[in-house]
Amino acid sequence: MINRLRKLREDKGLTLEEVGKGVGLAANTISRYETGKREPRLKTWQKLADFFSVSVSYLQGVDLNLDDMLKKIIPELHKEYFDNYLLLNGELPKSSFSINPSTTTTLNRLIEVKGIKKKPIDFYSKDDKRFALNPEIKKYWFGLLIPFVKGMFNNGWIFDNYISTNILIHFIDLKVTEQESKKESMSVLENYLIDLHYFAFDEPLHHLMNTSIKYSDFETAKEHFDKYFSFLEEVRDKVFSKSETEVLKKSL
């Protein structure tokens, strides 16, 4: 097993000294790590992984079986997609809900951005509401999603040989938004505001809003909805009150 330390360093155009300074080690120590003449302790592996913004396993050169990992979650993702497809098209009672309502909308955005002609619904007849997971659509899901699973691994999003559909959809959502923003030539401020919006997804307000909607508690949902968007408006006003240079300095 050959670690990826040297490749990551060279890809980023860094010297041994710069990496060493970043993690508090001598340049010759980094060199020994790269050649395998010396093995870092786990704590040091973590420092180096954090420095390069990757996972420890990726830095160590471990090749996980990403294909098998994706194949395991395709049945769950397929079910979520079509549960929500029926819900969004008014073919399920309003009281129905599935695990992740964003699965269908996010994947549809991805399909649109990539310009794929065949949609998941095209694998079934008009009167088919069972949406059985057949080999043809398994292949479709695999081809669509495997680049993102690899991207998650390369960016340190996969740990312990496990991927959840929720994290995969969140990663895809981020990447699709990046593509859309490039396509629309959005300004630095607009892109930064998108980043802040995703940060806000970790806010309890967003979670409470979604949970209330999921369980049809619309009175509580409206309360959290108003608070959540007040939060976003406050962030927006702070961002747009500064020049682009100031925003960049702050974000970097």
Side-chain angles (χ1 to χ4, degrees):
M1 183 177 69
I2 301 172
N3 72 59
R4 294 183 170 95
L5 184 54
R6 181 174 181 177
K7 183 180 183 307
L8 285 168
R9 178 176 63 79
E10 291 179 345
D11 285 349
K12 291 182 179 292
L14 298 171
T15 64
L16 291 165
E17 288 76 12
E18 286 171 329
V19 175
K21 186 177 180 181
V23 295
L25 294 168
N28 60 351
T29 302
I30 302 297
S31 177
R32 291 191 187 100
Y33 290 161
E34 288 186 353
T35 57
K37 291 179 180 178
R38 184 172 174 181
E39 180 72 13
R41 294 181 179 181
L42 182 58
K43 187 176 180 181
T44 305
W45 274 125
Q46 190 62 63
K47 280 185 180 179
L48 289 163
D50 291 343
F51 179 80
F52 287 105
S53 299
V54 298
S55 66
V56 171
S57 57
Y58 180 79
L59 184 61
Q60 290 175 331
V62 176
D63 287 316
L64 304 178
N65 195 330
L66 302 178
D67 291 11
D68 286 347
M69 291 168 69
L70 176 57
K71 286 173 185 175
K72 283 180 181 178
I73 69 164
I74 281 177
E76 180 186 345
L77 183 140
H78 177 86
K79 184 179 185 307
E80 284 189 12
Y81 179 91
F82 281 103
D83 278 354
N84 286 292
Y85 173 83
L86 291 171
L87 189 63
L88 291 169
N89 284 276
E91 297 182 47
L92 284 180
K94 289 184 179 179
S95 58
S96 302
F97 61 88
S98 60
I99 298 168
N100 189 350
S102 65
T103 300
T104 303
T105 50
T106 296
L107 291 177
N108 283 343
R109 283 172 62 216
L110 170 62
I111 291 163
E112 185 178 340
V113 165
K114 291 178 76 68
I116 298 171
K117 292 182 179 179
K118 194 164 188 177
K119 308 294 191 294
I121 193 63
D122 296 334
F123 288 85
Y124 303 95
S125 63
K126 289 183 179 179
D127 57 346
D128 188 350
K129 296 294 182 287
R130 295 178 299 110
F131 304 115
L133 183 59
N134 58 55
E136 191 182 7
I137 196 168
K138 277 185 184 178
K139 186 177 179 181
Y140 175 90
W141 286 129
F142 186 86
L144 181 69
L145 300 172
I146 191 61
F148 293 95
V149 173
K150 289 177 178 176
M152 287 172 68
F153 177 58
N154 293 344
N155 287 278
W157 283 52
I158 295 178
F159 300 95
D160 301 324
N161 298 340
Y162 174 74
I163 313 173
S164 73
T165 56
N166 186 41
I167 297 299
L168 175 59
I169 293 300
H170 183 54
F171 184 79
I172 291 171
D173 198 19
L174 288 169
K175 294 302 175 183
V176 170
T177 300
E178 284 177 11
Q179 290 286 324
E180 289 172 339
S181 64
K182 286 176 185 175
K183 188 176 179 181
E184 295 169 10
S185 302
M186 297 174 77
S187 71
V188 172
L189 286 173
E190 288 172 315
N191 277 299
Y192 186 56
L193 190 57
I194 286 172
D195 290 341
L196 287 171
H197 174 72
Y198 280 106
F199 170 76
F201 264 61
D202 294 328
E203 288 287 313
L205 290 175
H206 185 273
H207 173 71
L208 290 168
M209 180 180 72
N210 273 354
T211 303
S212 302
I213 292 171
K214 187 196 289 191
Y215 291 101
S216 302
D217 182 0
F218 298 115
E219 189 174 335
T220 306
K222 182 183 183 303
E223 180 185 342
H224 294 309
F225 183 92
D226 292 340
K227 287 181 180 178
Y228 175 61
F229 278 92
S230 293
F231 167 79
L232 288 183
E233 285 177 349
E234 182 183 341
V235 171
R236 180 199 61 197
D237 293 342
K238 286 180 180 178
V239 170
F240 282 92
S241 67
K242 299 178 181 180
S243 70
E244 293 206 359
T245 305
E246 286 177 302
V247 171
L248 276 174
K249 282 181 180 178
K250 183 73 174 175
S251 63
L252 294 173

